[in-house]
Amino acid sequence: MAFTDLVTFNKKKTTFIFIGGKGGVGKTTVSAATALWCARVGKKTLIISTDPAHSLGDSFDRVIKHVPTPITQNLEAIEIDPDRAMDEYKEKMQMQQKYNDALGMFSEQFDVMSSSPGIDEVASFDKFMQYMNTDEYDVIIFDTAPTGHTLRLLSFPEMMDSWMGKMIKTKKSLGAAAQKLKNIIPFLGSDEAEDAQSMAELERAKKEIEKARDVLTDPSRTTFKTVLIPEEMSIYESQRSMEALDKCNMSTDGVIVNKIQPDNTHCEFCRARYEVQQRRLETINALFGNQIIATIPLQEHEVRGIDKLYEICDILYGDDTDNGPIAL
């Protein structure tokens, strides 16, 4: 199998690709190169940066906004603005709570969330939910934050499902209590229509979260590809993250080893680094031999701008645009 075999497209539904790894290994470069290749083979592509320390715009050498920003033919990009994303999320939730006074207790939690660690994952998951339902794009690539943030993002559906379940249970309990009070004090009144609508909103939100979880764990729709460098810390962090993703039932199907030192017999330092990396490559093959492994040599120049990104695109996927991936 070639690395191109890991990118398959559905004919009517969006394919989602998460690209992650330890900070500083080149996730954004690989993500941008993958997006360019998907666009080049004729797929309508969106790349979303979920890292609060955005570098996607720097990589493309373009200003990228919070909304889809054109990059090349078939390719658009987004850098999520956490503050704007949280405002949008709060507004959406407040609309859902319009008929649900019982959920007023959660309004203050949104203010806390907007300034706490985890808001980036909330915003990223909301974007995933948004595009999951539209099928506007053939493929969406997530240039993720470093490993810990990404694992929180991908475990978000489980947390949200539990949270929504508790809210529904609370709503039902409060509704039952209100009905008992009405039986004792009839003039208190109760708007059953609003109660029914608020419960329907909660049930609908829970179903959407369950659907998101199903899409994330469907290997024909969503895959995770890991970028690492041939150093022990990167290798073993990648191994731990793959184990965590496996527990989330996420499909991890590809490893990209970046910044491989070329052999150089004229430089003792370069030769020593090369030999160390060769041993690390043996470890990588032993640990991840069940996945397709692609390699990218250390570049002699900074990879910035579309022309340089196309060079990485050609290394990973080849420059033959006639042999794109099959459609499922």
Side-chain angles (χ1 to χ4, degrees):
M1 290 181 71
F3 206 72
T4 51
D5 295 323
L6 295 182
V7 187
T8 55
F9 303 113
N10 292 271
K11 289 183 178 178
K12 296 182 179 179
K13 294 186 178 295
T14 301
T15 294
F16 299 96
I17 300 172
F18 288 82
I19 296 179
K22 183 177 170 63
V25 297
K27 297 185 302 294
T28 297
T29 297
V30 170
S31 299
T34 300
L36 284 170
W37 180 75
C38 290
R40 189 166 67 180
V41 297
K43 303 302 179 181
K44 187 175 182 182
T45 306
L46 176 67
I47 180 170
I48 301 176
S49 171
T50 69
D51 191 341
H54 296 298
S55 57
L56 188 60
D58 296 331
S59 189
F60 281 119
D61 200 17
R62 302 282 177 86
V63 175
I64 296 176
K65 302 177 182 178
H66 180 72
V67 295
T69 306
I71 302 296
T72 63
Q73 183 179 5
N74 296 326
L75 176 59
E76 296 175 334
I78 291 175
E79 286 187 342
I80 293 177
D81 180 331
D83 293 334
R84 282 189 59 183
M86 195 58 194
D87 287 341
E88 292 170 1
Y89 188 71
K90 285 169 65 175
E91 182 179 355
K92 183 192 305 181
M93 292 301 292
Q94 285 164 0
M95 288 176 65
Q96 292 177 2
Q97 293 173 24
K98 184 177 179 182
Y99 303 102
N100 193 1
D101 293 338
L103 297 181
M105 69 185 85
F106 295 100
S107 61
E108 292 183 4
Q109 293 185 19
F110 286 121
D111 293 329
V112 174
M113 288 168 65
S114 64
S115 59
S116 67
I119 171 55
D120 309 310
E121 290 82 32
V122 174
S124 301
F125 181 70
D126 194 49
K127 284 294 181 186
F128 175 80
M129 293 273 287
Q130 175 187 339
Y131 289 107
M132 176 190 74
N133 293 320
T134 64
D135 292 318
E136 178 183 353
Y137 296 91
D138 295 312
V139 59
I140 296 179
I141 295 162
F142 286 88
D143 171 31
T144 68
T147 306
H149 291 268
T150 302
L151 293 177
R152 285 198 297 270
L153 164 62
L154 296 176
S155 65
F156 201 67
E158 294 293 335
M159 183 191 75
M160 285 294 291
D161 188 36
S162 174
W163 187 39
M164 294 302 294
K166 290 176 181 177
M167 287 199 292
I168 291 171
K169 185 177 179 180
T170 300
K171 175 64 179 172
K172 288 180 177 178
S173 298
L174 291 173
Q179 187 60 44
K180 289 178 181 178
L181 282 174
K182 183 185 176 184
N183 292 337
I184 299 170
I185 313 174
F187 59 80
L188 281 179
S190 175
D191 192 331
E192 293 182 5
E194 286 193 0
D195 270 357
Q197 184 163 357
S198 64
M199 184 60 72
E201 287 288 346
L202 285 173
E203 294 286 1
R204 184 199 62 77
K206 192 172 188 302
K207 286 180 180 178
E208 286 298 304
I209 292 165
E210 290 171 353
K211 180 181 176 184
R213 183 174 57 194
D214 290 343
V215 172
L216 280 171
T217 56
D218 180 352
S220 72
R221 297 286 309 277
T222 305
T223 56
F224 190 95
K225 293 164 178 46
T226 302
V227 184
L228 53 83
I229 56 177
E231 294 182 2
E232 282 192 341
M233 288 180 64
S234 178
I235 293 168
Y236 292 116
E237 181 173 312
S238 298
Q239 182 186 29
R240 289 192 296 270
S241 70
M242 287 185 198
E243 290 170 353
L245 289 166
D246 185 60
K247 290 179 181 177
C248 295
N249 296 315
M250 279 284 296
S251 174
T252 57
D253 62 356
V255 173
I256 303 102
V257 188
N258 194 19
K259 301 181 182 180
I260 297 180
Q261 181 85 28
D263 192 6
N264 186 341
T265 58
H266 303 291
C267 168
E268 288 187 17
F269 174 82
C270 301
R271 179 66 187 178
R273 289 288 301 163
Y274 171 80
E275 290 176 354
V276 168
Q277 286 196 349
Q278 291 304 301
R279 292 195 293 272
R280 300 296 176 263
L281 288 170
E282 290 176 4
T283 301
I284 289 169
N285 284 314
L287 289 175
F288 310 122
N290 61 330
Q291 301 191 43
I292 293 182
I293 300 173
T295 58
I296 302 174
L298 181 66
Q299 301 297 295
E300 62 183 18
H301 49 69
E302 183 180 7
V303 181
R304 185 177 185 187
I306 290 178
D307 289 343
K308 297 298 183 186
L309 287 169
Y310 269 126
E311 292 178 10
I312 303 300
C313 169
D314 292 343
I315 291 171
L316 277 177
Y317 301 102
D319 58 4
D320 183 3
T321 58
D322 295 328
N323 294 318
I326 60 171
L328 297 179

